[in-house]
Amino acid sequence: MKDSYCDVLIIGAGPAGVMCANALAREGISVRVVDKRPENIPAGQADGIQPRTIEVLHSYGLADKLLAEGAHLNMMAYYNPTPDGKGIERTSRAPDVNAPTTRYQYKITLNQTAIEDLFLNSMRQNGLHVERPVIPTNLKISDDETVLNDSKAYPVEVTLHRLSGPETCTMNDTSSHTNVVDPTVELAADNELDERVHAKYVLGADGAHSWVRNQLGIKLEGEHTKHIWAVVDCVPETNFPDIRNRTAIHSNNGSCMIIPREGDLVRLYIQLADAEDLANGGRLDKSLVTPDRIMNVAKRSMYPYKIEFPHEPIWWTVYIISQRVATQFSVKERVFIAGDACHTHSPKAGLGMNASMNDTHNLAWKLIHVLRGWAFPKLLETYDLERKKFAQDLINFDRKLADMFSGKAVTADNMDGVSHEEFQALLRTEGGFTAGTGIQYQPSIITQPGSTTSGSGILVVGQRVPPQVILRVADCRPFEIQDLLKSDAKWKLLFFVGDCKLEKQIALVNAVGEHLQSPSSFLKRYTPKEAAADAVFLILWIARTQKEVADYTDVPKGLRSHWSTIYTDDVAVDGKKGGDAYENYGIGHAGGVAAVRPDGYVGYVGSLKEVLDGHLDEYFSGFMFSSL
Amino acid sequence: MKDSYCDVLIIGAGPAGVMCANALAREGISVRVVDKRPENIPAGQADGIQPRTIEVLHSYGLADKLLAEGAHLNMMAYYNPTPDGKGIERTSRAPDVNAPTTRYQYKITLNQTAIEDLFLNSMRQNGLHVERPVIPTNLKISDDETVLNDSKAYPVEVTLHRLSGPETCTMNDTSSHTNVVDPTVELAADNELDERVHAKYVLGADGAHSWVRNQLGIKLEGEHTKHIWAVVDCVPETNFPDIRNRTAIHSNNGSCMIIPREGDLVRLYIQLADAEDLANGGRLDKSLVTPDRIMNVAKRSMYPYKIEFPHEPIWWTVYIISQRVATQFSVKERVFIAGDACHTHSPKAGLGMNASMNDTHNLAWKLIHVLRGWAFPKLLETYDLERKKFAQDLINFDRKLADMFSGKAVTADNMDGVSHEEFQALLRTEGGFTAGTGIQYQPSIITQPGSTTSGSGILVVGQRVPPQVILRVADCRPFEIQDLLKSDAKWKLLFFVGDCKLEKQIALVNAVGEHLQSPSSFLKRYTPKEAAADAVFLILWIARTQKEVADYTDVPKGLRSHWSTIYTDDVAVDGKKGGDAYENYGIGHAGGVAAVRPDGYVGYVGSLKEVLDGHLDEYFSGFMFSSL
């Protein structure tokens, strides 16, 4: 059998897998990705992108196509039973996104194939292709502590088998929310198709039925519910006025959720209220359901509006809602699992694919830091810490939502039902969570609250940097601050230096600059000697000087790597945007500093005085290797 | 000699030529483009894109790359002599664009090659390549009236000669603002390289020394000035704080204009005040000037700021400002000239390339209409009418600007000089003109003012449709109305129908709908029978109903071609944009209609009542062929 070596082996090329693969490949990490499917899925599966995920994709330069091709969900419509209970009527419309700091005030829907293609195209540009159809047949982690502690060692061994001909695994449905059993794969005896890969790290992003998770013996906690739903992608003909809005229909004839998709496509989630006979201990006999049966339920649910299906559905399935989280997300910080392998839940909040991609967005920069020898391996422990907590919150939210949405609406006959107010209130209070922008990572070596400067605004340690428009001083061009926080595996140091035309402030800038240039500063200690000055830390100066008088030359030449690193917080020349960053972020006139993690989350906030006192150096000393 | 046929032959693949070629090619018109240069120019020449031109490029789907790659000029800085007269100091900064209705509140600079590439890439996708190096050697227009009036005839004959080997014409500098003589081209005797092209229409977009213009015997009116300037593209090292802003320096050591460009590149326009010896009757002896001489003038002009040129200049030239307009822009509406062939002027306002591209943007849809048999050939007369008037206005503005900028600044010693206030006021009052958004086409068969509805807002007959955000009713998605006015050779009919929840308005909508469906309506008369319903006229409905209750189904099914054609004037869910279109456009509650020409200019505005009275039908009958 052939032996080979790579830094990271990724098993599974779904959203979690390709997010990680792309993030590593663009930074030049030695990475391989294998997938058991002979080609990318043609239709179906996940389709919802929440606002925070758009921000993340944008930070990788991948959002443009998504925004251009996907449907934008701006408004949500709520329908409830008419007073006579026979049909439905619109109760209200309200914005679909309820998260004030969100850059994108809408969600996007687009087929999963197109979303995966964003990454696959980017990976191709970095010379990385998914190897398929390939399955892992054996996984072994060294239990030798010396090997495990050796940064140059390859302590994980995975045997890969390339499928060929009749054994090719044609997966019609590997989606996270279906409980159809994977087709059994018969292995060929041909050893030439086998390969033993020695990896420093392995990522199992192989879906709800994760082989990696099973090999590691990691359990899922949680349960199947009794709610059975069908989902169908179709181009209907209808007089329903909200067919292009996300619409929640509570009908006495069954609940229904409408998700508009790209072009004229519509996804319908339809409750099969009388279908408990289909289920058997969490497994569903899909053969008992037909598209006609599903579409007839949809027609009844939407009465008195008419909906017809002149075309065959493009994709459909049935599923029982299951809500489970893995007990751990990594083993020895050498093998990780992510995405559906870690968490399964109902698809209705459109969060599944988002949780998956954000899992590996969280993991990728940590792997890069450790592989480059910049950070201690214990940095990797924060992956399990941060993402398992999020997954548990997700399941808790999903329980509430799924119960409430699968339950009957309150009517004269059914006063115990779900009231419209109750349902809408849940979506409103959980607005930050469902938008993805409300995520708050807990304290750890990389997330350190406690500075006096933090907390009075929307720039919060443990949360992603919220959008604000600032002006580039040299050319007065407005920039969304998020556009300066690219996912390039670098730390961004935002130095808020106040009004640089005040002598006091410019003296402070100079003192900070002297400190940064001293051998004890994080900048000198943790930037490898042979590397570029901004290889690890990109320093941005954000003044609070009027644009008419601000000069990029106010920041001394030795401190600015380029004229494009100096900004100011003022209103743009169009008079419409900018000028609120200090106030909204809760930064005072005296300024302050924020250390932004490579994934866009705030790791540390402090005052400029604290920088001089070495607080920032201390923060980085907790997980970075000194190169001195 | 080989004979061949095409609908349109374009001579010259500069900005005017490729704008026209692309516009025709994407509509499937039989078109050829030839250029004498063996390849696209590598550097230098024009670089400024004004806000209106960004709008136009955007309407062809070509703006994204421009916006991403170009420098954005937001702010303009003004420097004048210090009180002691020895150096310069900043007098003020002000927004570079002074045009309130402008969508883009900045100008773009990018090398001409990259701008031409936007079109060349798009042309390639439509199977059109520039044939080069090819020169025309003979041009003949039939003087047979029968032929000239025959829409199927090819009354123009052009002999083309393909250059080969040593005769290849290497043009180092064909820019509009230089007066260097074209290299003389010796023709090979080889007839195989010659071809006789029979064209329905010919466009001469062959630059300031236009061969086509000379063949047609069209004269230029105007004169050379005595102002000699140098221009240099470079990456300087400087402590000048406005090196990334457009900066006008009035210095006692010579005037200078700084134009930041893509990346760290800077274009400097430098007045050679003591160089009148270089000129000889409008011709300039370039050999007497060196880059060092130019850069030394720049150094003196910018004193006490330091500017050094550590790298060789990327491109440079010297020129005498010449301000001339062709006496006519077409002959027999069969051969047209456009761009620098029609007008030359100083480059400092950054308008040259813009005027050129907008010439053929104006011409292209008219050619398409006539070639498709949709419109009378007299439509083509409006090209000369509209664009010659614009060119004359341009020269008049340029005279004022060039004189003022080449003149000395007012100082204690020179009270007759140009005052800062005077100079800045000129730029402010001419803000709409220099932004390109102030263009007002005069009355003609296609531009008919006179409706009572017109004039109370910014939607003005003869001007381009100004930007406004409206919401698509079906999905509440905000759209910039300009994004709905693509340059696709179609007319856009904007029906402002008021609040569609009012019975009175819905009755009006239905009446308008009935009128549109009647055989006497423009829609039925001027849409070819075999063509799609929206082949010539795209109808957009813009209601004024609150987004929470508006339904796209409010517009009866027979009247809407698709759910995406129904809009409303309300604030978007982000609370930040939209809701002002009726007010800003000057449309009352009762609604109205605007006919938007395929080039984005308003051709007609009237009330809905006038639609019922046949005014719109009458408007189109002035230049459209009935297909009934």
Side-chain angles (χ1 to χ4, degrees):
Chain A
M1 209 191 301
K2 181 187 157 196
D3 281 272
S4 63
Y5 295 81
C6 72
D7 283 355
V8 182
L9 173 67
I10 298 174
I11 297 166
V18 293
M19 165 65 87
C20 191
N22 178 57
L24 300 179
R26 67 207 298 269
E27 294 301 322
I29 300 293
S30 144
V31 54
R32 286 177 64 182
V33 204
V34 299
D35 196 280
K36 63 184 168 184
R37 296 166 298 182
E39 53 196 52
N40 203 355
I41 47 158
Q45 304 212 9
D47 59 8
I49 298 286
Q50 59 181 192
R52 171 57 189 157
T53 308
I54 310 176
E55 293 178 0
V56 171
L57 288 170
H58 190 70
S59 75
Y60 287 97
L62 300 179
D64 289 354
K65 211 159 172 260
L66 178 82
L67 294 171
E69 292 181 4
H72 295 205
L73 312 192
N74 285 277
M75 193 67 108
M76 182 156 180
Y78 298 85
Y79 282 72
N80 282 289
T82 48
D84 67 6
K86 285 181 187 162
I88 54 164
E89 62 185 10
R90 184 165 64 215
T91 311
S92 73
R93 280 182 187 149
D96 195 10
V97 172
N98 291 287
T101 76
T102 301
R103 178 172 184 183
Y104 304 93
Q105 290 284 334
Y106 48 86
K107 293 167 187 160
I108 299 270
T109 54
L110 184 62
N111 66 84
Q112 186 174 326
T113 314
I115 292 163
E116 289 174 8
D117 275 346
L118 301 173
F119 294 98
L120 297 176
N121 289 336
S122 171
M123 284 156 60
R124 239 171 259 135
Q125 285 167 24
N126 290 296
L128 181 62
H129 297 258
V130 177
E131 300 167 47
R132 53 173 100 213
V134 170
I135 56 164
T137 58
N138 193 35
L139 182 150
K140 216 170 72 188
I141 312 175
S142 168
D143 46 18
D144 181 338
E145 284 298 321
T146 325
V147 173
L148 286 169
N149 290 333
D150 178 0
S151 68
K152 298 213 164 22
Y154 294 83
V156 196
E157 198 183 293
V158 177
T159 307
L160 295 180
H161 175 74
R162 180 170 294 274
L163 300 174
S164 67
E167 60 167 344
T168 295
C169 160
T170 46
M171 302 288 289
N172 288 318
D173 194 337
T174 59
S175 76
S176 63
H177 51 270
T178 56
N179 290 289
V180 178
V181 185
D182 280 1
T184 309
V185 176
E186 292 291 333
L187 301 184
D190 186 353
N191 271 350
E192 285 186 23
L193 297 172
D194 286 354
E195 176 188 1
R196 197 183 296 114
V197 179
H198 304 267
K200 289 179 179 163
Y201 299 97
V202 168
L203 172 66
D206 50 349
H209 307 283
S210 172
W211 178 90
V212 175
R213 186 188 65 221
N214 291 335
Q215 290 294 305
L216 297 172
I218 296 174
K219 297 284 169 229
L220 290 176
E221 280 179 346
E223 65 280 327
H224 292 287
T225 68
K226 61 185 196 326
H227 307 306
I228 301 177
W229 284 74
V231 55
V232 54
D233 288 349
C234 56
V235 180
E237 260 183 36
T238 181
N239 63 355
F240 186 72
D242 284 287
I243 195 71
R244 299 303 309 170
N245 285 323
R246 187 155 85 103
T247 301
I249 299 174
H250 264 111
S251 154
N252 290 335
N253 303 314
S255 293
C256 175
M257 169 88 76
I258 297 171
I259 309 279
R261 280 267 299 274
E262 64 271 23
D264 287 346
L265 198 62
V266 173
R267 169 167 288 191
L268 298 175
Y269 285 104
I270 300 147
Q271 187 179 17
L272 300 182
D274 55 350
E276 276 163 39
D277 57 299
L278 302 180
N280 175 15
R283 299 252 176 229
L284 197 61
D285 189 347
K286 202 176 156 183
S287 67
L288 297 176
V289 190
T290 63
D292 277 351
R293 178 170 170 180
I294 297 167
M295 293 193 278
N296 278 327
V297 178
K299 284 181 190 180
R300 283 200 306 274
S301 163
M302 287 171 72
Y303 178 85
Y305 295 98
K306 287 192 199 320
I307 184 161
E308 299 293 336
F309 303 92
H311 317 284
E312 284 287 299
I314 285 158
W315 179 78
W316 68 276
T317 192
V318 287
Y319 60 95
I320 302 178
I321 296 175
S322 131
Q323 291 154 329
R324 301 193 291 181
V325 185
T327 51
Q328 62 192 86
F329 282 21
S330 88
V331 171
K332 298 182 181 172
E333 282 77 53
R334 285 293 184 171
V335 181
F336 304 87
I337 54 173
D340 293 346
C342 301
H343 37 70
T344 68
H345 49 87
S346 87
K348 240 157 282 85
L351 297 175
M353 178 163 51
N354 296 280
S356 298
M357 290 194 282
N358 282 299
D359 280 349
T360 50
H361 173 59
N362 181 289
L363 178 63
W365 72 269
K366 297 172 183 174
L367 285 173
I368 295 167
H369 268 50
V370 174
L371 282 164
R372 284 181 175 164
W374 292 354
F376 300 132
K378 71 176 173 182
L379 173 63
L380 295 167
E381 293 171 14
T382 63
Y383 169 65
D384 182 289
L385 178 81
E386 295 182 335
R387 295 308 295 176
K388 199 168 74 196
K389 168 71 164 55
F390 168 74
Q392 284 158 345
D393 292 347
L394 175 60
I395 300 303
N396 290 337
F397 166 72
D398 191 59
R399 285 207 179 98
K400 285 187 254 178
L401 178 72
D403 281 355
M404 214 176 264
F405 195 52
S406 297
K408 289 220 170 195
V410 66
T411 57
D413 296 343
N414 176 25
M415 294 305 288
D416 293 338
V418 180
S419 81
H420 169 63
E421 290 68 29
E422 222 177 333
F423 185 57
Q424 207 179 353
L426 173 70
L427 292 182
R428 208 162 33 224
T429 54
E430 300 284 355
F433 191 80
T434 55
T437 52
I439 290 179
Q440 167 74 57
Y441 289 138
Q442 59 268 58
S444 71
I445 47 169
I446 51 171
T447 309
Q448 301 210 344
S451 163
T452 48
T453 314
S454 181
S456 62
I458 58 171
L459 191 76
V460 178
V461 171
Q463 296 187 9
R464 70 85 167 85
V465 175
Q468 287 297 307
V469 171
I470 54 178
L471 308 185
R472 189 159 68 182
V473 169
D475 60 0
C476 213
R477 179 168 169 177
F479 277 82
E480 172 47 64
I481 202 166
Q482 287 194 342
D483 289 345
L484 306 174
L485 307 176
K486 295 187 198 311
S487 286
D488 55 5
K490 291 182 187 184
W491 289 80
K492 315 297 181 308
L493 278 302
L494 309 181
F495 280 95
F496 296 91
V497 290
D499 186 350
C500 281
K501 294 295 179 186
L502 299 178
E503 268 184 44
K504 197 183 101 194
Q505 285 307 117
I506 200 69
L508 199 50
V509 171
N510 280 315
V512 166
E514 261 175 52
H515 183 87
L516 291 179
Q517 301 300 330
S518 73
S520 66
S521 88
F522 68 91
L523 187 61
K524 295 291 167 193
R525 288 176 68 86
Y526 308 120
T527 302
K529 262 181 220 155
E530 69 284 4
D534 64 355
V536 184
F537 305 99
L538 179 65
I539 292 179
L540 299 175
W541 303 90
I542 304 172
R544 204 191 189 190
T545 310
Q546 283 188 332
K547 61 182 174 295
E548 287 79 8
V549 297
D551 294 315
Y552 77 92
T553 46
D554 291 340
V555 174
K557 197 172 174 187
L559 295 183
R560 52 180 148 94
S561 51
H562 190 254
W563 55 264
S564 62
T565 58
I566 322 293
Y567 296 82
T568 192
D569 179 25
D570 197 3
V571 182
V573 295
D574 70 2
K576 288 178 189 156
K577 49 184 176 290
D580 299 323
Y582 272 64
E583 191 183 337
N584 290 341
Y585 281 173
I587 310 280
H589 289 265
V593 67
V596 182
R597 301 163 22 163
D599 57 0
Y601 287 76
V602 182
Y604 171 90
V605 174
S607 67
L608 294 180
K609 169 113 186 15
E610 286 168 326
V611 174
L612 301 180
D613 290 347
H615 289 211
L616 202 49
D617 308 321
E618 203 179 311
Y619 165 72
F620 283 111
S621 73
F623 54 92
M624 297 290 273
F625 272 122
S626 168
S627 64
L628 294 179
Chain B
M1 209 192 298
K2 183 186 156 196
D3 281 272
S4 63
Y5 294 80
C6 72
D7 283 355
V8 183
L9 172 66
I10 299 173
I11 297 166
V18 292
M19 163 65 86
C20 191
N22 178 57
L24 299 179
R26 68 206 297 268
E27 294 302 321
I29 300 294
S30 144
V31 54
R32 287 176 65 182
V33 203
V34 299
D35 196 279
K36 63 183 168 185
R37 295 167 298 184
E39 53 197 51
N40 203 355
I41 48 159
Q45 304 213 6
D47 59 7
I49 298 287
Q50 60 182 190
R52 171 58 189 158
T53 309
I54 310 176
E55 293 179 0
V56 170
L57 289 170
H58 190 70
S59 75
Y60 287 98
L62 300 180
D64 289 355
K65 209 157 172 261
L66 178 81
L67 294 172
E69 293 182 2
H72 294 207
L73 312 193
N74 285 276
M75 193 68 108
M76 182 155 178
Y78 299 85
Y79 281 72
N80 283 288
T82 47
D84 66 6
K86 286 182 187 161
I88 54 164
E89 62 186 7
R90 183 164 65 217
T91 311
S92 72
R93 279 181 186 150
D96 195 9
V97 173
N98 291 288
T101 76
T102 301
R103 178 170 185 184
Y104 304 93
Q105 291 283 336
Y106 47 87
K107 293 168 188 159
I108 300 271
T109 54
L110 184 63
N111 66 84
Q112 185 175 327
T113 314
I115 291 163
E116 289 175 7
D117 274 346
L118 301 173
F119 293 97
L120 296 176
N121 289 335
S122 170
M123 284 157 60
R124 240 171 257 134
Q125 284 167 25
N126 290 296
L128 181 63
H129 298 258
V130 176
E131 302 166 48
R132 55 172 99 213
V134 169
I135 56 163
T137 58
N138 193 35
L139 182 152
K140 214 171 71 188
I141 311 175
S142 169
D143 45 19
D144 181 338
E145 284 298 321
T146 324
V147 173
L148 285 169
N149 290 333
D150 179 359
S151 68
K152 299 212 164 20
Y154 294 82
V156 196
E157 199 182 293
V158 177
T159 307
L160 294 180
H161 176 74
R162 180 170 294 275
L163 301 173
S164 67
E167 60 167 345
T168 295
C169 158
T170 45
M171 302 288 290
N172 288 318
D173 194 338
T174 59
S175 75
S176 63
H177 50 269
T178 58
N179 290 289
V180 178
V181 185
D182 281 1
T184 309
V185 175
E186 290 293 331
L187 300 185
D190 186 353
N191 272 349
E192 284 187 23
L193 296 174
D194 286 355
E195 176 187 0
R196 197 183 296 114
V197 178
H198 304 267
K200 289 180 179 164
Y201 299 97
V202 168
L203 173 66
D206 49 349
H209 305 283
S210 173
W211 177 90
V212 174
R213 187 188 66 221
N214 290 336
Q215 290 295 305
L216 297 172
I218 297 175
K219 297 284 169 229
L220 291 176
E221 280 180 345
E223 64 280 328
H224 293 288
T225 68
K226 61 185 195 328
H227 307 307
I228 301 176
W229 284 74
V231 53
V232 53
D233 288 349
C234 57
V235 180
E237 258 183 38
T238 182
N239 63 354
F240 186 71
D242 285 286
I243 195 73
R244 297 304 309 170
N245 286 323
R246 186 155 86 104
T247 301
I249 298 174
H250 264 113
S251 152
N252 289 336
N253 305 313
S255 293
C256 174
M257 168 90 71
I258 297 171
I259 309 279
R261 280 269 298 274
E262 64 270 23
D264 287 347
L265 198 61
V266 173
R267 169 167 288 192
L268 299 175
Y269 285 104
I270 299 146
Q271 186 180 15
L272 300 182
D274 55 350
E276 275 161 43
D277 57 300
L278 304 179
N280 176 15
R283 301 254 174 224
L284 200 61
D285 189 350
K286 203 174 154 183
S287 68
L288 298 176
V289 189
T290 63
D292 276 352
R293 177 171 172 182
I294 297 168
M295 294 192 279
N296 277 328
V297 178
K299 284 182 190 180
R300 283 200 305 275
S301 164
M302 288 171 71
Y303 178 83
Y305 295 98
K306 285 191 201 317
I307 184 161
E308 297 293 337
F309 303 92
H311 316 284
E312 283 288 297
I314 286 158
W315 179 80
W316 67 277
T317 193
V318 287
Y319 60 96
I320 301 178
I321 295 175
S322 129
Q323 291 153 330
R324 301 193 290 181
V325 185
T327 51
Q328 63 190 91
F329 282 23
S330 87
V331 171
K332 297 183 182 173
E333 281 76 54
R334 286 293 185 173
V335 181
F336 304 87
I337 54 174
D340 292 347
C342 302
H343 36 70
T344 66
H345 48 88
S346 89
K348 239 156 284 85
L351 296 174
M353 179 164 51
N354 297 278
S356 298
M357 291 194 282
N358 282 299
D359 280 347
T360 51
H361 173 59
N362 181 289
L363 177 63
W365 72 270
K366 297 171 183 175
L367 285 172
I368 295 168
H369 268 50
V370 174
L371 281 165
R372 285 180 175 165
W374 291 354
F376 301 131
K378 71 175 171 180
L379 174 63
L380 294 168
E381 295 171 12
T382 63
Y383 169 66
D384 182 288
L385 178 81
E386 295 182 336
R387 296 307 296 175
K388 200 169 70 197
K389 168 73 165 55
F390 168 75
Q392 284 158 344
D393 292 347
L394 176 60
I395 300 303
N396 290 336
F397 166 71
D398 192 59
R399 283 204 182 103
K400 285 187 253 178
L401 179 72
D403 280 354
M404 214 175 262
F405 195 51
S406 297
K408 288 222 171 195
V410 66
T411 56
D413 296 342
N414 175 25
M415 293 306 287
D416 294 337
V418 180
S419 81
H420 170 61
E421 290 68 29
E422 221 178 331
F423 185 56
Q424 206 178 354
L426 173 70
L427 292 182
R428 206 159 37 221
T429 54
E430 299 285 354
F433 191 80
T434 55
T437 53
I439 289 179
Q440 166 75 56
Y441 288 138
Q442 59 267 57
S444 72
I445 48 169
I446 51 171
T447 307
Q448 301 211 342
S451 163
T452 48
T453 314
S454 180
S456 64
I458 58 171
L459 191 76
V460 178
V461 171
Q463 296 188 9
R464 69 85 166 85
V465 176
Q468 287 298 306
V469 171
I470 53 177
L471 307 184
R472 191 160 66 183
V473 169
D475 60 359
C476 212
R477 179 169 170 178
F479 277 83
E480 172 47 63
I481 202 166
Q482 288 194 342
D483 288 345
L484 307 174
L485 308 176
K486 295 189 199 307
S487 285
D488 55 6
K490 291 184 188 186
W491 289 80
K492 315 298 180 309
L493 278 302
L494 309 181
F495 279 95
F496 296 91
V497 291
D499 185 350
C500 281
K501 293 296 179 188
L502 298 179
E503 269 184 44
K504 197 183 99 194
Q505 286 305 118
I506 200 70
L508 198 52
V509 171
N510 279 314
V512 167
E514 261 173 53
H515 183 86
L516 292 179
Q517 300 301 330
S518 73
S520 67
S521 89
F522 69 92
L523 187 61
K524 294 292 165 192
R525 287 176 68 85
Y526 308 121
T527 302
K529 263 181 219 152
E530 69 284 6
D534 63 355
V536 184
F537 304 99
L538 179 65
I539 292 178
L540 300 175
W541 303 91
I542 304 172
R544 204 192 190 187
T545 311
Q546 283 189 331
K547 61 182 174 293
E548 287 79 8
V549 297
D551 293 316
Y552 77 93
T553 47
D554 291 341
V555 174
K557 198 173 173 187
L559 295 183
R560 52 180 148 94
S561 53
H562 190 255
W563 56 262
S564 62
T565 58
I566 323 292
Y567 295 82
T568 193
D569 179 25
D570 197 6
V571 182
V573 296
D574 70 1
K576 288 179 191 156
K577 50 184 175 287
D580 299 322
Y582 273 63
E583 191 182 336
N584 290 342
Y585 281 171
I587 310 280
H589 289 265
V593 67
V596 182
R597 300 165 21 164
D599 58 359
Y601 286 76
V602 182
Y604 172 89
V605 173
S607 68
L608 294 180
K609 169 104 185 22
E610 286 168 325
V611 173
L612 300 179
D613 291 346
H615 289 210
L616 202 50
D617 308 321
E618 203 179 310
Y619 166 71
F620 283 111
S621 72
F623 54 93
M624 297 290 273
F625 273 121
S626 168
S627 64
L628 292 179

